[in-house]
């Protein structure tokens, strides 16, 4: 399953190309050993280490580049749906389970998944947590669909060991029907020590909300992505710095068209412009290529798309099904999705 010559255009610094070997980059499938699981949560620590989180309370970890995967699922979590995982290294990670009421939970491990601590359990039946993201090893946020007309933000300052709900005063009112999509763990993303962005859909406009103070206050901006239906909106965000970002999404229903499935911003999310040549269909995940100012990947059930001009134009380079994609500082990129699918970008 090769991406072919199109991926050869990836902007990888020559000095860093060595670890990837020779030849054009391509997705190299890895056997997760869990074909019954759909992995929407993915954390790329590096070329050797990655974490997966998925259905049936499943968490897997590899430390040998995907040659083998260890099932490190929290005990008693088989009824939960893990949709996001944030890993700091091979031993420390935080996972989010989604759902109404007490189905939304956060777990943390400090020993590679040998043991887990439940650090948050939602007790409000109106809340439904979708995504989490960290600024650094200590500070992070999680987001719930609107409660009392506003998105609810959960905050940690101790690496996910404890959480508190932030005041709603700084959050603008949600649109009718507006919510987040727990599709790839990328509906909430960060860049730098304080900036965070939240992707929305389901309302009259597909919006991106931005906070410059770790979630205390937010501003909202409309995007040109499809909207006006519960199945449409922005599903994933990726920022390479606090100014330049990508938004991907569309209509997740199979067979439905998704025009304007991507947009770009150069002002921190205050304004968004549509991609001149967007992906041809709904995309649920996105990631900038490490150390590149212009190259990024978007993934979805019908394929992988590549941009080499900062998100203005995209071209499909693989037709495999993936829900999420993540890259690490050592130039490694991973993707994961349905039927236990996981792959690493190799050359």
């Amino acid at each position: 399953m090769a991406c072919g010559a199109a991926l050869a255009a990836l902007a990888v610094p020559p000095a860093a190309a060595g670890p990837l070997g020779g030849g054009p980059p391509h997705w190299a499938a890895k056997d997760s050993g869990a074909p019954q699981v759909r992995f929407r949560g993915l954390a790329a620590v590096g070329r050797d280490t990655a974490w997966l989180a998925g259905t049936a309370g499943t968490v897997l970890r590899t430390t040998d580049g995907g040659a083998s995967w260890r099932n490190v699922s929290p005990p008693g979590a088989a009824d939960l749906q893990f949709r996001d995982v944030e890993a700091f290294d091979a031993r420390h990670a935080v996972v989010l389970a989604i759902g109404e009421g007490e189905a939304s939970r956060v777990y943390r491990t400090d020993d590679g998944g040998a043991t887990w601590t439940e650090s948050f359990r939602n007790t409000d039946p109106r809340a439904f947590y979708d995504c989490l993201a960290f600024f650094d090893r200590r500070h992070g946020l999680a987001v719930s669909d609107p409660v009392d007309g506003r998105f609810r933000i959960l905050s940690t300052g101790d690496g996910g060991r404890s959480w508190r709900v932030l005041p709603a005063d700084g959050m603008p009112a949600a649109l009718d029907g507006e919510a987040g999509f727990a599709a790839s763990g990328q509906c909430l993303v960060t860049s730098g020590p304080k900036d965070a962005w939240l992707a929305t859909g389901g309302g009259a406009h597909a919006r991106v909300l931005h906070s410059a103070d770790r979630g205390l206050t937010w501003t909202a901006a409309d995007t040109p992505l499809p909207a006006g239906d519960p199945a449409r909106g922005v599903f994933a965000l990726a920022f390479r710095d606090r100014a330049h970002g990508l938004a991907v999404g569309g209509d997740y229903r199979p067979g439905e068209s998704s025009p304007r499935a991507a947009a770009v911003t150069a002002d921190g999310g205050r304004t968004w412009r549509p991609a001149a040549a967007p992906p041809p269909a709904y995309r649920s995940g996105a990631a900038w290529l490490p150390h590149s100012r212009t190259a990024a990947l978007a993934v979805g059930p019908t394929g992988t798309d590549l941009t080499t001009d900062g998100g203005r134009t995209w071209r499909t380079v693989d037709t495999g099904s993936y829900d999420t994609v993540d890259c690490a500082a050592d130039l490694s990129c991973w993707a994961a999705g349905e039927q236990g699918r996981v792959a690493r970008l190799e050359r």
Side-chain angles (χ1 to χ4, degrees):
M1 183 181 59
C3 294
L7 267 179
L10 290 180
V12 178
L20 293 177
H26 62 279
W27 284 128
K30 309 293 181 180
D31 183 5
S32 70
Q36 74 284 5
V37 178
R38 186 165 196 164
F39 293 112
R40 294 184 184 270
L42 167 66
V45 176
R47 180 169 173 79
D48 294 327
T49 302
W51 296 70
L52 300 171
T55 54
T58 305
V59 179
L60 304 184
R61 184 194 63 151
T62 184
T63 55
D64 57 12
S68 64
W69 295 85
R70 176 172 294 182
N71 188 331
V72 295
S73 306
D79 292 333
L80 301 179
Q81 306 295 313
F82 289 125
R83 295 291 182 92
D84 202 352
V85 55
E86 300 293 327
F88 309 112
D89 51 43
R91 296 183 59 80
H92 301 85
V94 179
V95 296
L96 171 72
I98 62 102
E100 296 178 348
E102 294 192 0
S104 283
R105 305 179 194 181
V106 178
Y107 293 82
R108 179 188 164 96
T109 182
D110 294 315
D111 54 15
T115 61
W116 293 87
T117 300
E118 182 185 304
S119 59
F120 173 76
R121 181 179 297 203
N122 174 46
T123 57
D124 189 334
R126 301 170 299 170
F128 185 117
Y129 285 84
D130 299 298
C131 295
L132 60 84
F134 278 80
F135 302 94
D136 51 43
R137 295 179 72 99
R138 293 181 55 81
H139 301 92
L141 303 174
V143 61
S144 163
D145 289 340
V147 176
D148 293 329
R150 299 176 191 272
F151 284 93
R152 176 170 288 181
I153 302 296
L154 202 62
S155 174
T156 181
D158 56 12
R161 294 176 178 86
S162 64
W163 299 83
R164 66 185 181 96
V165 175
L166 294 182
D169 303 359
M171 178 65 70
L175 304 176
D176 289 344
E178 192 175 27
F181 291 111
S184 61
Q186 296 171 328
C187 66
L188 179 68
V189 299
T190 63
S191 180
K194 293 185 177 181
D195 286 276
W197 294 266
L198 164 63
T200 82
H205 304 280
R207 303 199 296 175
V208 173
L209 280 63
H210 171 236
S211 172
D213 54 13
R214 288 188 186 153
L216 293 176
T217 60
W218 298 79
T219 56
D222 292 346
T223 76
L225 272 72
D229 186 277
R232 298 174 185 163
V234 181
F235 282 73
L237 298 168
F239 276 78
R240 66 172 173 83
D241 55 40
R242 66 190 310 264
H244 299 87
L246 307 169
V248 301
D251 190 321
Y252 73 77
R253 293 172 295 190
E256 294 293 325
S257 63
S258 291
R260 308 180 312 280
V264 297
T265 181
D267 57 12
R270 287 189 293 274
T271 61
W272 293 85
R273 64 183 186 276
Y282 156 71
R283 295 294 182 251
S284 55
W288 288 93
L289 272 294
H291 313 299
S292 173
R293 297 175 60 84
T294 58
L297 295 170
V299 299
T302 62
T304 297
D305 301 292
L306 167 70
T307 178
T308 56
D309 57 13
R312 289 185 291 276
T313 62
W314 297 81
R315 50 180 168 161
T316 302
V317 293
D318 185 84
T319 56
S321 174
Y322 295 104
D323 292 314
T324 186
V325 59
D326 193 29
C327 297
D330 69 352
L331 303 175
S332 60
C333 293
W334 295 78
E338 62 183 342
Q339 298 178 344
R341 292 169 59 89
V342 59
R344 187 180 65 184
L345 192 66
E346 296 183 357
R347 71 164 75 194

